[in-house]
């Protein structure tokens, strides 16, 4: 992995994971990489922020910088809450 000056810890982890992913494709053609990365990063981010706020979705949405309804949809999409 070659970090760039603009990388933070999260960016460096994503960069390393993507480099590993591409190295392990073993000749297979990559597909839908953007969606894969977003989905992989979004779920743990939502879980950590929710845990940090004690499950308070209004506060979690504020911290994330998104609308509470958007948060609720993402939680349902990831099956984090019913």
């Amino acid at each position: 992995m070659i970090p760039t000056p603009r990388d933070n810890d999260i960016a460096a982890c994503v960069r390393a994971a993507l480099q590993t992913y591409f190295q392990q494709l073993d000749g297979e053609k990559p597909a839908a990489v953007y969606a894969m990365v977003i989905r992989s990063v979004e779920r743990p981010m939502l879980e950590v922020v929710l845990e940090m706020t004690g499950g308070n979705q209004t506060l979690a949405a504020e911290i994330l910088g998104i609308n509470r309804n958007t948060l609720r949809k993402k939680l349902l999409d990831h099956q984090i809450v019913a």
Side-chain angles (χ1 to χ4, degrees):
M1 178 187 82
I2 302 170
T4 68
R6 297 172 65 181
D7 278 352
N8 58 31
D9 289 343
I10 295 170
C13 288
V14 171
R15 181 181 303 278
L18 280 169
Q19 289 171 342
T20 299
Y21 169 77
F22 284 116
Q23 289 169 359
Q24 294 177 347
L25 282 177
D26 195 33
E28 292 292 320
K29 183 178 177 185
V33 173
Y34 179 83
M36 175 191 69
V37 171
I38 296 303
R39 190 137 183 95
S40 297
V41 172
E42 191 171 56
R43 182 184 179 96
M45 175 183 63
L46 295 172
E47 291 171 337
V48 168
V49 172
L50 268 178
E51 183 179 319
M52 194 177 88
T53 63
N56 184 323
Q57 293 181 12
T58 301
L59 182 55
E62 184 179 317
I63 290 170
L64 291 165
I66 60 176
N67 179 287
R68 189 195 173 284
N69 290 333
T70 301
L71 173 60
R72 181 78 178 147
K73 181 185 179 310
K74 290 180 180 297
L75 295 175
L76 290 171
D77 288 347
H78 288 282
Q79 298 177 340
I80 296 174
V81 297

